[in-house]
Amino acid sequence: SQQGEEDPQALSIQEGENATMNCSYKTSINNLQWYRQNSGRGLVHLILIRSNEREKHSGRLRVTLDTSKKSSSLLITASRAADTASYFCATDGTGNQFYFGTGTSLTVIP
Amino acid sequence: DAGVIQSPRHEVTEMGQEVTLRCKPISGHDYLFWYRQTMMRGLELLIYFNNNVPIDDSGMPEDRFSAKMPNASFSTLKIQPSEPRDSAVYFCASSPPGGVGYTFGSGTRLTVV
C-alpha cells in the first residue's frame, strides 16, 4: 500500500505541552504533506515538505523528513485546546495524487 | 472564493437506490479528487481528474461507482445501486496546477439503510 501510517493512533496531552506525531511510508516520494481534520469537517492543509528538504516550520508547526528512514514527524509546540483534531500525513503517488495515512487523534486538555 | 462546495451534506437512502454526490471545485484548480473516509479503511482515493479528464480510477471499488467531470466547475460521483457498505463520508478536493496543497470540501455523509 502507498498509504502512510501515523503513530501514535491517539495522543492526549495538557495544554501548553508539545505534541509529536510520526508518519512512516513505504515507497519513495517527491512530496509529503500534513493535514488536520476537525471532527465532522474536511481536511485542512497544514504544510508540505519536499523530498530534498529535511525540516520545515510554519508557526507552531515543525515538520521533519528523513527519506532514508522513510519517515516524517509533525511537532506542534505550546499546544492549545483548539489543536484538538486528527492529523494525517499524505504521500504522493506516481501522478499528482496523494495517499493519506490512518491519522493520529490528538486531544489537548485545557 | 467559497472553497470546494459539496452537496448534499447528508444523504440517507435505501439500499438499491441511486445516489449522486456533487462537487464544485475552486475556480482555477485543474485537479479534482474524490475520497471516501470510513473508520475501518481511513481515507481512500477513489478517482482523480486533471483538466476534466479522469486520470486514475483504480480506487473505484466496483462498477456500481462512476464519476464524471463534464466541465471545470462541476463533478459528480454516482453509486448505482447503493449498498449499506457504501455508507461513509465522501470528500471532494481540488488543487491548483503543480498540484500540491489540496483544498477539501466539507464532505457528504452517506448512510445507506
Side-chain angles (χ1 to χ4, degrees):
Chain A
S1 167
Q2 290 176 276
Q3 283 182 306
E5 289 187 13
E6 285 89 344
D7 170 59
Q9 286 190 327
L11 179 62
S12 183
I13 60 173
Q14 294 290 132
E15 200 166 33
E17 293 180 339
N18 295 341
T20 300
M21 289 157 269
N22 302 296
C23 169
S24 59
Y25 56 92
K26 295 179 181 176
T27 59
S28 296
I29 60 168
N30 295 309
N31 301 288
L32 184 145
Q33 304 186 55
W34 284 91
Y35 286 78
R36 183 187 74 230
Q37 184 180 31
N38 290 87
S39 180
R41 309 291 294 273
L43 282 77
V44 175
H45 179 253
L46 295 175
I47 198 165
L48 175 144
I49 188 165
R50 301 187 189 278
S51 60
N52 61 353
E53 299 175 310
R54 291 297 167 259
E55 189 170 310
K56 211 163 180 182
H57 297 254
S58 177
R60 293 183 297 111
L61 305 181
R62 174 178 159 237
V63 169
T64 62
L65 179 64
D66 186 335
T67 53
S68 66
K69 295 182 179 178
K70 292 187 170 58
S71 68
S72 174
S73 67
L74 171 67
L75 168 67
I76 304 174
T77 60
S79 63
R80 305 167 182 168
D83 295 328
T84 294
S86 291
Y87 292 82
F88 295 85
C89 68
T91 53
D92 57 358
T94 54
N96 192 59
Q97 72 276 38
F98 277 79
Y99 296 94
F100 286 80
T102 50
T104 291
S105 177
L106 173 66
T107 302
V108 180
I109 303 166
Chain B
D1 201 318
V4 175
I5 299 172
Q6 291 187 246
S7 64
R9 287 297 308 275
H10 302 273
E11 176 81 35
V12 180
T13 191
E14 290 185 347
M15 183 174 63
Q17 296 297 305
E18 177 180 295
V19 175
T20 300
L21 312 180
R22 297 173 176 80
C23 175
K24 176 179 167 51
I26 290 176
S27 177
H29 282 192
D30 60 355
Y31 285 90
L32 184 139
F33 306 83
W34 283 100
Y35 284 87
R36 177 173 69 176
Q37 186 176 37
T38 61
M39 289 294 291
M40 289 296 293
R41 301 173 70 90
L43 269 161
E44 300 174 276
L45 175 63
L46 300 178
I47 185 172
Y48 81 98
F49 296 82
N50 179 216
N51 292 321
N52 314 336
V53 176
I55 303 300
D56 184 351
D57 65 354
S58 59
M60 296 285 261
E62 299 171 34
D63 291 346
R64 299 184 295 106
F65 286 70
S66 62
K68 294 181 180 179
M69 192 164 185
N71 57 62
S73 58
F74 184 64
S75 176
T76 59
L77 178 67
K78 186 176 293 187
I79 308 172
Q80 166 63 18
S82 58
E83 297 182 2
R85 60 194 167 118
D86 301 331
S87 297
V89 181
Y90 291 81
F91 287 102
C92 174
S94 68
S95 73
V100 294
Y102 293 4
T103 300
F104 277 77
S106 297
T108 295
R109 181 174 296 277
L110 173 65
T111 304
V112 183
V113 297

